[in-house]
Amino acid sequence: MKRRQFLLRAAITSSSILTTNMWLKSSFAQAPGIITLDKNRPSIPYGVASGDISGNSAVIWSRVVPPHQGVSPSWMIVEYSTDESFRNSRRVIGQAALADNDFTARTYLTNLPPGEDIFYRVTFQDTADSNLYSAPVTGYFRTASLGKEKDIFFAWSGDTAGQGWGINPEWGGMKIYESIRKLNPDFFIHSGDTIYADNPIQSEVKLDDGTIWKNITIAQKSKVAETLTEFRGNFIYNLLDDNILRFNSQVPQLVQWDDHEVRNNWYPQQILDDPRYTVKNVSLLAARARKAFLEYTPIRFHPNDPQRIYRSFNYGPLLEIFMLDQRSYRGANSPNRQAVISPETAFLGNPQLRWCKQKLLNSPATWKIIASDMPIGVIVRDGQTHFENASNGDGPALGRELELADLLRFIKYNNIRNVVWLTADLHYASANYYDPNRAQFTDFLPFWEFIAGPLNAGTFGPGQLDNTFGPQVKFHSIPVGMKQNQPPSAGLQFFGTVKIDSQTEVLTVTLHNLEGNNIYSVDLQPEV
């Protein structure tokens, strides 16, 4: 058996999880707490996931349901091998899945061979009765190569279950995840809005043509998320989708967050004037949301700052990825026209900005991918007078744009070549080229920014450009004048892929539609 056969077997094995999920979908709302699926042993109804992979390490994630509706912890056990039959496998006992972490757990695999297929299976052992084990669930990933003998191929997108568009089994569920999985990317960057905590899911939505979009519903998605249980329920909701379960078991993820993990357009210290919320302090909501996000994603905790989301990954000599967090350290949304940098203009914040500069400066990789949770030159408003991202309208760099200008100037002065930006957030796909010859702020090297999404949410746009950094639209995926908030069934869901040729080092970016078909592609030549 080779990889394809293993994946087929894994899909067949996971059918028991999918069957279990059908039970979950019908009963979760009536039993929003711990659900007992097997009274005799722990179970793994939400599958497995891998993430934060490198040449020699990876994070394996899962969540256990304890037996007998109990609260006793279970040990997470991971077996892994380079052989799909698990000969000569190694066994690692990971974290205990505790009630404090909603019975999620992760295991760090280290000293892995670079550039190899890694097959793994997860079981949980009940601590109250060491003879009780869950049925195993299998997964797969590939470690990064230390050389240039293999091409690199990965995907990215964002925006899952937004605007009330949830899991519709009659339509096929969140089937864009299946389109991505079939391309067998080495990994996937989720560019934020992994959930929509502020967008309840109703059972039915009437479409313009008179037909009905039918969502799976659960209690935790019936209102905006305020409690920790409700934030956790948003992540659990996505794991009720069969496509996501298969995807998670076979495609490693690098995950970041944006605003909807908490609520639309949030910033630290914000006080809400929204009748849907009884909790008005956004910092409290964000603390609960961050805990749920860290519990339910295969993210590696920073040893000195376990709450940190920004981080980087070296994927061999051809690629390094820099995952930003443009949400946690920003100042308040405002008219965004300040003339000097201050705490009010913070977007990345000084510590993260210094980190990003240093990592870019020290990177030996040919290509440097900046995974940004927000676009650079497309205006995103927050009300009539305030702005959500850095862009604030045409003109010189002001407000949050000053921080981006500082980063772009640093890249130029240090001759850091081959920097490409990837993002989502806008709910359509676009390719933008930033040209200092057409910009108001000119002290930077030309670069590309590619936007993809949504994964399973409403389609919007296209957005208005800001000429500060001279963006030119080379492609966008939707017609001008389109009615906003198109449902997934309209077919306007998008993701992107990146391929780096191991011989020529050419980087090819391709934008794809819901079915995975190519709708735009461009080859970028590496600069020395």
Side-chain angles (χ1 to χ4, degrees):
M1 289 188 304
K2 297 300 180 185
R3 179 191 177 202
R4 187 175 300 277
Q5 292 173 281
F6 174 84
L7 297 181
L8 176 61
R9 185 177 68 178
I12 295 172
T13 302
S14 68
S15 65
S16 61
I17 300 175
L18 304 184
T19 301
T20 296
N21 261 12
M22 293 304 294
W23 184 91
L24 277 168
K25 292 165 186 175
S26 65
S27 62
F28 196 99
Q30 287 74 39
I34 300 168
I35 301 170
T36 302
L37 304 178
D38 186 337
K39 294 183 178 181
N40 297 316
R41 60 178 180 173
S43 59
I44 313 177
Y46 305 109
V48 296
S50 62
D52 285 15
I53 57 172
S54 68
N56 59 11
S57 66
V59 177
I60 307 299
W61 174 95
S62 190
R63 181 182 189 265
V64 67
V65 173
H68 304 293
Q69 297 210 13
V71 295
S72 61
S74 299
W75 290 109
M76 183 181 183
I77 301 171
V78 179
E79 294 177 89
Y80 67 95
S81 174
T82 57
D83 190 306
E84 51 275 352
S85 66
F86 287 92
R87 287 181 299 217
N88 301 316
S89 64
R90 299 188 64 181
R91 186 171 184 264
V92 177
I93 298 177
Q95 292 180 342
L98 305 173
D100 286 350
N101 292 324
D102 206 29
F103 298 102
T104 63
R106 69 201 64 223
T107 298
Y108 296 145
L109 302 184
T110 58
N111 299 317
L112 299 174
E116 291 283 350
D117 294 341
I118 305 295
F119 306 91
Y120 68 92
R121 57 191 174 200
V122 173
T123 56
F124 282 91
Q125 179 188 34
D126 187 61
T127 59
D129 185 343
S130 60
N131 293 316
L132 294 182
Y133 289 83
S134 70
V137 178
T138 56
Y140 161 88
F141 64 90
R142 178 182 295 127
T143 54
S145 174
L146 297 182
K148 297 181 180 180
E149 63 273 11
K150 292 182 179 180
D151 296 345
I152 298 173
F153 178 66
F154 68 93
W156 93 94
S157 188
D159 318 311
T160 303
Q163 291 73 51
W165 308 111
I167 303 167
N168 181 350
E170 293 182 1
W171 187 65
M174 299 187 187
K175 55 189 180 183
I176 194 170
Y177 279 93
E178 180 67 4
S179 296
I180 301 171
R181 185 194 69 84
K182 286 180 178 178
L183 295 180
N184 292 328
D186 297 324
F187 57 89
F188 175 74
I189 298 175
H190 199 304
S191 301
D193 293 341
T194 54
I195 62 170
Y196 278 72
D198 56 334
N199 287 187
I201 298 290
Q202 305 301 320
S203 60
E204 294 184 351
V205 182
K206 188 175 181 179
L207 303 180
D208 289 343
D209 62 3
T211 60
I212 302 297
W213 175 276
K214 297 181 180 180
N215 288 313
I216 292 170
T217 59
I218 64 173
Q220 289 90 333
K221 286 292 296 177
S222 64
K223 60 179 289 294
V224 296
E226 299 179 87
T227 68
L228 179 56
T229 297
E230 289 165 347
F231 283 110
R232 287 166 168 169
N234 274 258
F235 287 97
I236 289 174
Y237 181 82
N238 291 350
L239 295 173
L240 302 181
D241 181 74
D242 300 347
N243 303 292
I244 286 183
L245 284 182
R246 283 189 293 268
F247 179 90
N248 286 353
S249 69
Q250 298 173 25
V251 182
Q253 298 177 55
L254 310 180
V255 179
Q256 60 194 149
W257 74 347
D258 190 28
D259 54 340
H260 289 285
E261 283 82 1
V262 182
R263 71 176 301 276
N264 189 43
N265 296 350
W266 75 274
Y267 52 84
Q269 309 304 319
Q270 183 182 18
I271 302 298
L272 297 180
D273 181 16
D274 186 333
R276 299 179 301 165
Y277 287 85
T278 59
V279 178
K280 304 296 186 181
N281 187 329
V282 172
S283 291
L284 177 56
L285 293 174
R288 293 169 179 169
R290 186 187 295 267
K291 179 171 173 57
F293 174 84
L294 295 173
E295 288 173 343
Y296 275 88
T297 56
I299 191 171
R300 181 182 299 275
F301 297 144
H302 190 281
N304 299 324
D305 185 3
Q307 298 294 304
R308 182 191 296 185
I309 293 171
Y310 69 85
R311 59 210 191 280
S312 66
F313 301 94
N314 183 276
Y315 207 80
L318 293 175
L319 175 65
E320 188 162 359
I321 299 170
F322 308 88
M323 306 284 290
L324 302 184
D325 177 1
Q326 294 167 332
R327 188 60 52 180
S328 301
Y329 313 102
R330 63 167 57 197
N333 292 349
S334 73
N336 200 27
R337 307 291 295 182
Q338 298 90 343
V340 295
I341 290 179
S342 71
E344 293 180 348
T345 67
F347 197 39
L348 298 174
N350 285 333
Q352 184 179 188
L353 183 60
R354 289 194 299 268
W355 167 87
C356 186
K357 289 178 178 179
Q358 196 62 46
K359 296 296 289 188
L360 285 168
L361 185 64
N362 294 339
S363 177
T366 301
W367 290 98
K368 294 91 174 169
I369 297 291
I370 297 180
S372 172
D373 46 291
M374 298 206 74
I376 293 174
V378 183
I379 296 172
V380 183
R381 297 183 182 275
D382 184 14
Q384 295 298 314
T385 61
H386 291 190
F387 292 89
E388 159 71 351
N389 67 339
S391 297
N392 53 23
D394 292 346
L398 295 170
R400 291 172 178 158
E401 291 175 332
L402 295 169
E403 198 177 79
L404 286 176
D406 181 42
L407 177 58
L408 295 176
R409 184 189 298 113
F410 177 87
I411 291 171
K412 176 184 176 180
Y413 284 6
N414 289 279
N415 198 31
I416 301 171
R417 300 287 175 167
N418 308 317
V419 176
V420 176
W421 294 69
L422 302 181
T423 188
D425 185 64
L426 296 179
H427 294 234
Y428 65 94
S430 182
N432 299 330
Y433 181 70
Y434 288 78
D435 184 352
N437 294 318
R438 301 179 64 171
Q440 298 296 306
F441 174 85
T442 62
D443 203 8
F444 67 95
L445 299 173
F447 66 93
W448 284 83
E449 173 190 58
F450 298 95
I451 302 165
L455 287 164
N456 194 89
T459 306
F460 292 85
Q464 177 186 350
L465 292 184
D466 176 337
N467 72 1
T468 302
F469 300 110
Q472 304 170 44
V473 176
K474 299 298 185 180
F475 172 83
H476 64 71
S477 62
I478 59 172
V480 175
M482 178 198 75
K483 181 181 178 180
Q484 303 297 282
N485 194 17
Q486 291 291 306
S489 55
L492 300 174
Q493 310 281 289
F494 306 99
F495 67 94
T497 59
V498 175
K499 178 184 177 182
I500 304 176
D501 187 283
S502 61
Q503 300 302 312
T504 65
E505 299 188 351
V506 171
L507 182 145
T508 302
V509 179
T510 304
L511 297 174
H512 304 258
N513 62 13
L514 175 65
E515 292 78 23
N517 299 325
N518 299 357
I519 57 174
Y520 173 82
S521 186
V522 62
D523 294 335
L524 305 184
Q525 300 291 331
E527 296 182 25
V528 179

